[in-house]
Amino acid sequence: FFFAIHCTMVDQDRVERLLRHEERLNELQRGQEALMKQMVEMQKSGGSGGASALKMPKRVGILTAGGLAPCLSSAIGALIERYMELYPQVSIICYDSGYKGLLLGESIHLTKDVKRDAGILHKFGGSPIGNSRVKLKNVKDCVKRGLVKEGEDPQKKAADQLVKDGIEVLHTIGGDDTNTAAADLAAYLAENNYDLTVIGLPKTIDNDVYPLKQSLGAWTAAEEGAKF
């Protein structure tokens, strides 16, 4: 009897957790769709800058966070390649070690040569820009790590740094925790009138990001694991 009650409670917790994930992922998807709409409208207008043209971002940011996965390097390379194809003038910066680098203002500005040779990243695993397991809503941990001062709000500090760096679109590549933090940051930005878009790319070898059929990195991890 008690086992049945316990199982029911676990199932209810899992359902509630999945619903929260779905809500956050839908929020990220809406942001991605809005950005793609801007790109499509810009292409239709021929970049003429007319009244019907929607502004393309001048500077975008990229960060990777959470655990390592086979897809991180390739995902960064693909993002850079796609931007160079659609909008080669865009400025791209990568935050060192995920949200840690964002809070500390530590970033790498990609040169023309790096952007031109981004395809080489498809040949490697791991993350060339580093990652960390920093959670913006875990204020106590951020203070302990020395990322914010006592009394500072990590989300506000992250938002202010994005504004300072001139970021218009932030791409976060990570798993459950990373994109939950991305959704929370996107909500914070919207609530506080920051004109920024956050787009999360789901990465995890566990392939457990609901409702996506397959997350980045899962297939390669399964293939390599099968060899052993």
Side-chain angles (χ1 to χ4, degrees), residues 195-214:
D195 189 18
L196 292 167
T197 300
V198 181
I199 301 176
L201 279 72
K203 169 277 312 177
T204 171
I205 63 174
D206 300 324
N207 199 29
D208 60 353
V209 181
Y210 179 83
L212 299 177
K213 184 176 181 180
Q214 182 177 308

Side-chain angles (χ1 to χ4, degrees), residues 23-33 172 178-180 182-184 186 197-201:
E23 182 180 348
R24 287 164 176 159
L25 285 168
N26 286 337
E27 186 173 357
L28 290 172
Q29 185 178 9
R30 286 193 292 271
Q32 186 172 13
E33 288 173 351
T172 62
T178 300
N179 287 309
T180 296
D184 291 337
T197 300
V198 181
I199 301 176
L201 279 72

Side-chain angles (χ1 to χ4, degrees), residues 3 6 44 66-67 97 103 112 114 122 162 186 189 196 218-220 226:
F3 177 74
H6 174 72
K44 286 181 178 179
S97 301
L103 289 173
K112 290 183 179 179
V114 170
H122 294 301
L162 290 169
L189 293 168
L196 292 167
W219 185 269
T220 302

Side-chain angles (χ1 to χ4, degrees), residues 158-188:
D160 289 342
Q161 186 63 50
L162 290 169
V163 172
K164 180 180 178 181
D165 291 337
I167 300 298
E168 296 174 55
V169 179
L170 175 67
H171 293 276
T172 62
I173 310 172
D176 184 22
D177 290 339
T178 300
N179 287 309
T180 296
D184 291 337
L185 180 59
Y188 178 88

Side-chain angles (χ1 to χ4, degrees), residues 2-4 18 22 27 44-45 50-51 53 56 60 75 79 89 91 113-114 120 181 195 206 223 225:
F2 289 108
F3 177 74
L18 289 173
E22 183 176 14
E27 186 173 357
K44 286 181 178 179
S45 68
M56 285 287 293
V60 301
L79 271 175
Q89 293 82 12
S91 173
D113 290 341
V114 170
I120 197 173
D195 189 18
D206 300 324
E223 277 191 326

Side-chain angles (χ1 to χ4, degrees), residues 69-90:
C71 63
L72 288 172
S73 180
S74 186
I76 295 169
L79 271 175
I80 296 170
E81 286 180 319
R82 188 59 171 161
Y83 268 111
M84 292 304 96
E85 179 184 344
L86 292 175
Y87 197 62
Q89 293 82 12
V90 72

